[in-house]
Amino acid sequence: MNQHTQLWTDLGLDVPLHEKLVDSLGARYGEIIMSQKNRPRGMGYFDEAVHESHGGRIQEIVDAKRQGAKMIGTFCIYVPDELILAANAIPVALCGGTAFSIPYAEKMFPRDICPLVKSTLGLAFSKTCPFAPIKDMAVGETTCDAKKKTWDILSQRVNFHVIEIPQKKTEQGKSLWLQEVRAFRDRIEKLTGNTIEYGVLKDKIRLMNRKRLLLKQLNELRMLPEPPISGKDALVVMQVALFDEPERFCTKLEVLIHELQERVKNNVSPFTPGAARFLVAGSPSVMGNWKVHHIVETSGGAVVCDESCTGTRYFEHLVDEGGGTVDEQIEALAERYFSIDCSCFTPNTERIDHIVELVKNYHVDAVVQYILQYCHTYNIEAVRVSGALKKAGIPSIVIETDYGEEDEGQLRTRIEALLESVKG
Ligand code: SF4
Ligand code: SF4
């Protein structure tokens, strides 16, 4: 019996099915992540965080709730965590990255929606997501169609708030977004019974900025000729960022960065010298999903940059810490979150330009546009991205895939061909 079995029973999970999920994720993590040679010691904390994501972290949140905290489930990086934290609530990203739960969503939902949405819903519907029963509210956003319509169904079952994301970055769009951020503040205050105070919000803005700066520092080390960390390990760090306690996360990330700096001095890298450098751009790769990074890195390539919500989109741009009132702080938050270049925006030229800039900064040899099946916005935007990369002379491919293992052979063949073209 697992040490957390009683906790899962108390939360009403389907314990035998949940144990199967944990075993399958553990086996995949072992095969893909733990099997890597020459990993930094500092990754030990992040491995443990993944291992305890359904155990120790749940217990920690349950204990905090006993002390009066609330837990808020999120599905998108547009949700300002600072406001949640400042109201004594705990934000946790609930996006699913495992194929295990998809059949449970397909019992109710159409099959032709993106695997991220199906995996997330399947975890909740199959009673294998321990976060689902402990959340006090979930927050969705109007980014893509799959999500928007999912919220209609979820909001009938659980306490739910939908944030409207404008689709154009105009002055009107900006003004709508500011109103939405204010409305979210009101909803959070109502839920928690806590008024968001200036000093507390200032601390949380600083905390999240510190987290972003550390992630930026980690990623800058990946720009070096011999990166000290694999793309798979950097992705694990990003995945943990989405659910871990932020203060502790920052402390452990500082330790890892320090070790990586030492590795740079001593020329220690997990990659063979001169390995082709890849940028993975597009849909997010959330916990349980290491597929493309694994294929690239076991084919001899190095993933040195992630242009996604589990990459640069998460940590770039800081919130201005100079606001003198809560209203000004909220304006600063709205400004920062509005700079996120998700493909739900039209036009989204800044994302295209940004990818070309990342290619230069990270000395990228080739780009894999990674599109989750049925993710129409990234898939269609891929046409413009491919055009811009071609113009910049950077080889790239577009792959559309799901969470299954069936197409791994085919993807490997395409990625190896891309690798060959870079070498040639
Ligand atoms: S890809 Fe877009 S919708 Fe998905 S998490 Fe990122 S910002 Fe949100
Ligand atoms: S990956 Fe694409 S389709 Fe799926 S939830 Fe995110 S934006 Fe929507």
Side-chain angles (χ1 to χ4, degrees):
M1 181 164 128
N2 186 294
Q3 57 161 324
H4 301 297
T5 301
Q6 190 56 50
L7 172 68
W8 297 330
T9 307
D10 294 346
L11 294 176
L13 297 193
D14 179 335
V15 174
L17 189 62
H18 180 255
E19 285 191 353
K20 271 193 200 158
L21 165 71
V22 170
D23 289 349
S24 99
L25 277 176
R28 194 130 172 94
Y29 195 79
E31 189 189 312
I32 292 181
I33 306 295
M34 301 299 285
S35 63
Q36 297 173 95
K37 302 273 179 288
N38 201 7
R39 298 181 73 212
R41 280 184 319 279
M43 281 306 296
Y45 170 76
F46 299 94
D47 293 336
E48 187 62 12
V50 171
H51 186 69
E52 286 299 321
S53 57
H54 278 204
R57 180 65 177 138
I58 299 295
Q59 187 62 62
E60 192 171 59
I61 297 173
V62 168
D63 293 344
K65 279 169 62 88
R66 286 202 189 105
Q67 304 294 319
K70 301 281 185 200
M71 190 207 122
I72 313 284
T74 64
F75 304 93
C76 177
I77 62 161
Y78 274 103
V79 179
D81 282 346
E82 292 87 341
L83 290 175
I84 299 177
L85 292 164
N88 190 27
I90 301 166
V92 176
L94 297 181
C95 298
T98 172
F100 181 93
S101 56
I102 287 180
Y104 300 92
E106 287 178 344
K107 284 183 189 166
M108 184 193 273
F109 277 74
R111 292 172 66 90
D112 49 356
I113 53 176
C114 109
L116 189 148
V117 169
K118 284 192 289 189
S119 176
T120 309
L121 292 172
L123 287 167
F125 295 166
S126 60
K127 297 194 175 166
T128 54
C129 174
F131 292 101
I134 60 173
K135 70 178 177 314
D136 296 281
M137 188 171 86
V139 189
E141 13 55 53
T142 56
T143 42
C144 66
D145 287 351
K147 283 176 153 188
K148 269 189 288 203
K149 299 320 293 177
T150 299
W151 311 149
D152 291 357
I153 295 165
L154 283 189
S155 55
Q156 290 175 337
R157 298 170 162 233
V158 298
N159 189 18
F160 210 91
H161 181 80
V162 179
I163 299 185
E164 182 167 355
I165 312 280
Q167 312 275 285
K168 285 171 77 178
K169 288 192 174 170
T170 56
E171 282 309 309
Q172 290 99 314
K174 216 170 173 178
S175 149
L176 168 67
W177 174 238
L178 179 58
Q179 285 176 48
E180 287 295 310
V181 177
R182 286 185 181 136
F184 181 57
R185 185 261 307 258
D186 295 346
R187 182 76 191 261
I188 291 284
E189 287 187 339
K190 200 166 162 218
L191 174 86
T192 59
N194 297 325
T195 303
I196 292 175
E197 286 172 1
Y198 174 77
V200 183
L201 185 52
K202 195 173 179 74
D203 284 349
K204 302 306 175 191
I205 289 174
R206 278 196 186 136
L207 172 61
M208 294 305 291
N209 275 350
R210 179 175 164 226
K211 188 177 175 185
R212 292 182 187 111
L213 283 169
L214 286 168
L215 287 167
K216 187 163 181 271
Q217 216 181 331
L218 170 82
N219 279 276
E220 280 168 357
L221 292 167
R222 299 171 74 194
M223 292 177 180
L224 297 172
E226 304 297 335
I229 184 167
S230 70
K232 286 193 277 187
D233 278 341
L235 178 60
V236 167
V237 172
M238 280 307 311
Q239 292 174 338
V240 171
L242 298 177
F243 66 84
D244 199 13
E245 196 285 311
E247 297 267 8
R248 181 180 56 216
F249 175 86
C250 289
T251 306
K252 297 296 181 181
L253 184 50
E254 262 168 359
V255 173
L256 176 65
I257 290 170
H258 183 72
E259 183 188 347
L260 296 180
Q261 287 163 337
E262 290 301 309
R263 281 164 71 101
V264 170
K265 279 188 211 150
N266 298 318
N267 296 320
V268 179
S269 170
F271 301 118
T272 33
R277 302 168 67 92
F278 282 75
L279 182 153
V280 176
S283 306
S285 300
V286 296
M287 174 80 89
N289 177 14
W290 307 285
K291 186 171 171 174
V292 169
H293 292 66
H294 183 56
I295 296 174
V296 171
E297 296 196 338
T298 50
S299 301
V303 177
V304 296
C305 181
D306 296 275
E307 189 276 332
S308 72
C309 292
T310 40
T312 52
R313 242 191 304 288
Y314 181 80
F315 61 79
E316 284 187 339
H317 307 289
L318 299 181
V319 178
D320 182 352
E321 296 179 14
T325 61
V326 173
D327 277 348
E328 285 176 10
Q329 289 171 319
I330 287 181
E331 281 169 25
L333 283 167
E335 179 89 25
R336 185 267 159 190
Y337 281 87
F338 204 54
S339 69
I340 296 171
D341 55 2
C342 174
S343 58
C344 65
F345 278 93
T346 179
N348 201 22
T349 309
E350 63 197 80
R351 174 169 178 250
I352 322 276
D353 296 344
H354 186 221
I355 292 173
V356 175
E357 194 186 310
L358 289 174
V359 163
K360 285 189 194 130
N361 294 345
Y362 286 79
H363 313 287
V364 166
D365 297 309
V367 174
V368 175
Q369 289 203 66
Y370 163 62
I371 317 290
L372 282 176
Q373 209 175 30
Y374 309 118
C375 179
H376 302 309
T377 54
Y378 280 103
N379 205 2
I380 298 169
E381 195 155 281
V383 176
R384 282 194 69 195
V385 174
S386 299
L389 290 170
K390 194 169 176 200
K391 203 168 156 203
I394 301 297
S396 71
I397 53 170
V398 179
I399 58 173
E400 193 187 352
T401 184
D402 59 12
Y403 288 169
E405 293 171 33
E406 296 76 15
D407 63 350
E408 283 187 7
Q410 197 197 4
L411 294 181
R412 188 173 292 279
T413 306
R414 293 190 62 206
I415 286 170
E416 282 172 357
L418 181 62
L419 201 62
E420 281 305 311
S421 75
V422 171
K423 281 191 208 156

